[in-house]
Structures are given as C-alpha cells and as structure tokens.
Amino acid sequence: EPEVTQTPSHQVTQMGQEVILRCVPISNHLYFYWYRQILGQKVEFLVSFYNNEISEKSEIFDDQFSVERPDGSNFTLKIRSTKLEDSAMYFCAAGDRDTYEQYFGPGTRLTVT
Amino acid sequence: AQTVTQSQPEMSVQEAETVTLSCTYDTSESNYYLFWYKQPPSRQMILVIRQEAYKQQNATENRFSVNFQKAAKSFSLKISDSQLGDTAMYFCAFVMWFGNEKLTFGTGTRLTIIP
C-alpha cells in the first residue's frame, strides 16, 4: 500500500499557540485531505486540497486553520491559535482519483493544554 | 448530505470464527464508493476493502468480503477465520463519485477477537 508520512507523531502545545502539522503525501497523488478524530469519536473531514487550492472545507475548518503545500511535496495544516477542543488526532490522506481510495498517514496526536 | 450509520458500537468473537459488521448509509446519489477502514490500537487508518456502487458483484479481499445491498443502502463487512490481529475499530465510509470527494465516516464498531 502507498505510504503517507506525518510529523510530528505527537505534539503538545499550550492554548493560544500556533502549531504546524506536516504531511508528505504520495508523490503521484494530486488530491490531499486533512481529517481529525477526537478521542473515542468518528473521523471528521476538515479540508480537501487540489492543484494548490482548497477544493472543499468543513464547518470545523474556520479562520484558525490554514493549509498549504509550500514546496510541492510537504502538505501542512496550521492552527493559528489553538484551543483545548483542538486536541485530537489529525490525519493527512492522499487520494487516488481513479479508485477514490484515500491512503492515510499515521496521524499526529495534538494535545492542547 | 450523506450520513453513515454503524449500529454496533462493540462486538466480540472467538478466534477463527466469522463476524459481520453492519453499516447503512443515506444518500440521494446513485454513483459513489463505499469503504471499510480498520483502525488498530496504533490509530493508523488502514483501508480494508472498496466497493463501487455501480458494481453488483460484492468485493472481496482475502478473508474480508462485503454484502452490498444498494436498494437497502446497506454495506456490511464479513471477516472470515478471524485472527487476533483483526482486533480494531472498523469504520464504514462513503464518498461520492465526482465532485464532493471527502470521506464521510460512520461512528465505528470496536471489534475484539478473543483467543
């Protein structure tokens, strides 16, 4: 199975601080996604990204969130001013448009204190 | 909007037995894909199996197979000869074909395989 990597695996930050979560998607995939999973709950869509633009975002993805692909390989999710409720597992995924399969990275566990 | 429902929060089965996890979904679309993802304790999301809505034939992947009933909007996962490594959360997911490509997940079923 293709591999998506994410760093860091675990990030602890204080409320109000900015965090950047990084993802290296599969090189020949063009569709990228961020999802989050609050502990014990289902996986929720945050944002999809194609051709260096956001193609869709959810209600969760407010002005505190941003995504970019600064160097053509890394794909980042930035949270400008973290809140306690942002504590969750954040998954990056790369999509295959032919099969609609999405391959997930191992996730970043974000803990906001 | 699409919704995915998994009505079994937890299940357990003896090793080597067969288990079926249920999933129903609601959509007005006719073209879509359905998936089952496995999330072991490591919390990695692993794709188990895919079903195209336009295909009548049920998908199979080794010990994993689905029972796809499009009219009933039902998509169950059958695990045969269950193994200890199958212990995980299992999520059913839906994605539309064309346009809205985000995955919509169910709430998951925690499956425990008992030795």
Side-chain angles (χ1 to χ4, degrees):
Chain A
E1 187 173 291
E3 186 173 297
V4 176
T5 59
Q6 288 185 245
T7 55
S9 58
H10 189 192
Q11 172 101 44
V12 180
T13 189
Q14 289 190 327
M15 192 168 53
Q17 295 297 303
E18 175 183 285
V19 294
I20 298 176
L21 311 182
R22 292 182 169 81
C23 167
V24 180
I26 301 161
S27 59
N28 60 346
H29 284 195
L30 301 177
Y31 296 83
F32 312 119
Y33 309 85
W34 284 101
Y35 295 86
R36 82 170 185 191
Q37 184 184 32
I38 295 171
L39 186 63
Q41 299 186 22
K42 68 177 179 181
V43 180
E44 301 174 290
F45 167 76
L46 290 177
V47 65
S48 56
F49 192 83
Y50 169 68
N51 201 23
N52 290 323
E53 290 183 352
I54 290 174
S55 53
E56 186 180 356
K57 57 185 180 180
S58 71
E59 293 176 351
I60 303 168
F61 195 88
D62 61 22
D63 292 344
Q64 293 300 311
F65 291 88
S66 62
V67 290
E68 61 179 12
R69 199 174 182 209
D71 57 8
S73 59
N74 291 299
F75 178 46
T76 62
L77 173 70
K78 182 193 291 187
I79 309 175
R80 290 188 182 82
S81 179
T82 50
K83 309 186 201 66
L84 293 176
E85 54 265 37
D86 293 328
S87 293
M89 196 77 164
Y90 287 81
F91 292 102
C92 170
D96 182 330
R97 196 59 168 181
D98 291 329
T99 63
Y100 283 76
E101 292 177 359
Q102 292 186 23
Y103 299 98
F104 283 71
T108 293
R109 178 176 295 179
L110 177 64
T111 303
V112 182
T113 61
Chain B
Q2 290 74 34
T3 59
V4 178
T5 302
Q6 294 179 249
S7 58
Q8 305 153 310
E10 293 188 19
M11 295 187 72
S12 60
V13 66
Q14 292 289 136
E15 190 177 6
E17 291 186 347
T18 295
V19 61
T20 299
L21 310 183
S22 300
C23 172
T24 58
Y25 57 95
D26 188 22
T27 182
S28 57
E29 302 294 328
S30 56
N31 295 316
Y32 49 87
Y33 289 78
L34 294 161
F35 303 91
W36 279 96
Y37 279 86
K38 169 185 177 180
Q39 188 179 43
S42 66
R43 298 193 72 183
Q44 169 88 50
M45 294 290 289
I46 302 166
L47 178 62
V48 174
I49 199 165
R50 178 186 90 238
Q51 174 75 45
E52 296 90 333
Y54 62 87
K55 288 187 177 178
Q56 291 187 333
Q57 185 174 7
N58 290 320
T60 62
E61 285 289 339
N62 301 313
R63 297 183 295 108
F64 298 88
S65 62
V66 299
N67 183 2
F68 173 51
Q69 302 289 328
K70 191 172 184 180
K73 295 180 182 174
S74 168
F75 181 60
S76 60
L77 174 70
K78 185 171 84 171
I79 306 174
S80 303
D81 186 26
S82 55
Q83 301 173 0
L84 296 179
D86 296 332
T87 292
M89 281 290 285
Y90 286 82
F91 291 96
C92 177
F94 170 103
V95 66
M96 279 174 48
W97 191 13
F98 292 128
N100 183 346
E101 71 272 18
K102 68 181 181 187
L103 285 168
T104 299
F105 286 88
T107 51
T109 295
R110 182 177 303 279
L111 176 66
T112 302
I113 309 300
I114 303 166

